[in-house]
Every structure is written in structure tokens, then in C-alpha cells.
Amino acid sequence: MDHLGTDEFTDLALGTGAGPSLRRHDHVDRCLDCSRELGRLLEVVRAARDVSTEDLTAPPDGVWRSIASELHLGAHLRPPAGSGGPTTVPDKRPSRDRARARRSALILPTTALAAATMFGSLATARLTAGPPSVAGPVSRLAPLGVPGAAGTVRLVRVSATDREVEVTVARLPPTDGYYEVWLMDQSHSPLVPLGTLRADGTATLPIPPQIDLGAHPLVDVSVQASNGNPAHSGVSSVRGRLYG
């Protein structure tokens, strides 16, 4: 799977993406790893944008000298002794130029803080996130009690201990109840309930860690009545084998 690169994450998180970067939203919607990564970066960007100038610790004198040099401010911006913060000296330039200089001196360190924080977070996330999720092969869910219904299922290993099933079923008829996803063995017993399908016929459901998939290789989707009875209704809409 072609995951997003650092530049694409940056464009999407900062809201500056265009063209290919924006089209990559489709990949983020389908990829659990990239979705989580982008979510972490968006939290960093929101936090950085909430920082006010009163929250910032004054940087060393050398930082302000570098800013002044980069902006060609010369003697118009210099830190007071011992404070590390900026101050101004009498400036006879036009007021518009003085205002532009003050805005630049304020925006540059704040933007640098946001960018440094975001890229630091990205690097940390890459180092600490561990191995990516591993998705098994997609297998077919064949129709049983609902002619025309069909779907797919696959196993996703989120970590060494955490597993999920991704289920998609199409052409299910409307019901006053709900559709439940189960694991079962070849004899169709015992049954392990995993959860329900969403209204669009999809679900991503965790598998209990104690469940041996070798002993429960089948995925079944039943139509259930809203009668308070959690047992399998005996009416299966689709069923298939889970691999991986």
C-alpha cells in the first residue's frame, strides 16, 4: 500500500494541500495507519495555532539576531540585555514599514514553533508507532438466506496482540432489527458475536484476544430482531471463510 509521504502529511495537516495532496484524502479514508498519523498531526497543528505570544518563552539573543538578519532589519530589532526578547529602538522608517517589520518578527518565531513541533511529532510518531498494521487477503462472503447479498471480509493485525475484521456487505434488505457479525467453526457452533454492521453494510470489529481463529475460521452475518435476545437468530444473510 502506497502510504502518504512527509510532504503530503504536512500539506494536509496545515491545510495547504492542493491537487495531488488533496486527492490523497481518498487513501487516508481507507488506510488506518495514515488516518491515525494525520489525526496526530492535526492535533499538533491545532495546539500550535492556539499558542499565544504570551505563552512563548523568550529565545536566546542569537535567535533574534538571526531573525533580524533574515528580515534585513538591522538595528531596528535587537534584544534587551539579559531578557532574550525583542525590543525596538527609535525607528524613522515610514509607519507601514515599521508595522511590517513588527509583524514579520512576531510571525516568524511562532510559525517556526508550529513547524518544529509538527515535524518533531512526525518523527517521534514514526519511531514509536511500531510496525504498521498487516491486512490479510480479502475473501468472499457468499449469500445464504438473502439472495443477491454478497460481501467481503479480511483480517487486519493491528499489533502483535490486537486483531480486527473488516466486513463489507452489499444489497442487504432493510430490516427493523440489525445485522450481527459472528465467528464460528465448521459445525457452526460455538458462535462468537463480534458486533453489528453500520447502516451502509460495513464494520471494523475487534476480535477478542483469547479467540483462536484456527478454531473459528468462518464469518457469518445474521439478521437479528430487536427483541432483546442476543442469540443467533438462525437466519444468516452471508457467510465466508476468514484467512490470514
Side-chain angles (χ1 to χ4, degrees), residues 4-5 7-30 38 42:
L4 269 65
D7 290 342
E8 291 172 311
F9 273 123
T10 303
D11 285 343
L12 293 176
L14 292 176
T16 58
S21 292
L22 286 181
R23 290 195 293 273
R24 296 284 275 159
H25 267 303
D26 292 338
H27 171 81
V28 174
D29 292 340
R30 298 190 305 269
L38 181 59
L42 287 172

Side-chain angles (χ1 to χ4, degrees), residues 34-69:
C34 288
S35 177
R36 288 173 175 170
E37 186 81 353
L38 181 59
R40 285 193 290 264
L41 293 181
L42 287 172
E43 290 179 3
V44 172
V45 170
R46 282 193 292 268
R49 286 173 174 169
D50 287 341
V51 173
S52 69
T53 54
E54 287 77 12
D55 298 323
L56 300 178
T57 301
D61 292 356
V63 173
W64 292 111
R65 284 195 294 270
S66 297
I67 293 172
S69 175

Side-chain angles (χ1 to χ4, degrees), residues 35-244:
S35 177
R36 288 173 175 170
E37 186 81 353
L38 181 59
R40 285 193 290 264
L41 293 181
L42 287 172
E43 290 179 3
V44 172
V45 170
R46 282 193 292 268
R49 286 173 174 169
D50 287 341
V51 173
S52 69
T53 54
E54 287 77 12
D55 298 323
L56 300 178
T57 301
D61 292 356
V63 173
W64 292 111
R65 284 195 294 270
S66 297
I67 293 172
S69 175
E70 181 71 22
L71 298 177
H72 307 291
L73 300 178
H76 300 296
L77 179 71
R78 74 180 184 210
S83 72
T87 187
T88 56
V89 296
D91 189 348
K92 297 182 180 180
R93 288 177 299 169
S95 59
R96 183 174 57 186
D97 292 344
R98 293 199 302 271
R100 184 183 300 116
R102 286 195 296 270
R103 285 197 302 271
S104 298
L106 173 63
I107 291 171
L108 182 60
T110 306
T111 304
L113 171 65
T117 304
M118 190 184 76
F119 283 112
S121 173
L122 177 60
T124 301
R126 290 293 189 188
L127 291 174
T128 61
S133 301
V134 178
V138 175
S139 59
R140 181 170 174 263
L141 294 173
L144 289 174
V146 180
T152 60
V153 63
R154 70 173 178 174
L155 173 69
V156 178
R157 297 188 182 276
V158 181
S159 69
T161 57
D162 297 326
R163 302 163 298 172
E164 297 175 340
V165 288
E166 295 179 351
V167 182
T168 300
V169 186
R171 298 187 294 278
L172 287 172
T175 175
D176 292 334
Y178 56 95
Y179 288 95
E180 180 84 11
V181 181
W182 308 78
L183 290 176
M184 61 175 58
D185 64 8
Q186 297 289 358
S187 68
H188 307 164
S189 177
L191 299 172
V192 180
L194 297 181
T196 61
L197 294 181
R198 292 186 285 263
D200 63 356
T202 66
T204 300
L205 304 168
I207 298 174
Q210 73 274 14
I211 296 300
D212 178 8
L213 291 179
H216 301 80
L218 299 180
V219 172
D220 180 275
V221 178
S222 68
V223 55
Q224 301 285 129
S226 297
N227 57 9
N229 183 0
H232 194 291
S233 66
V235 181
S236 296
S237 58
V238 293
R239 186 181 297 159
R241 190 175 186 89
L242 184 64
Y243 296 95

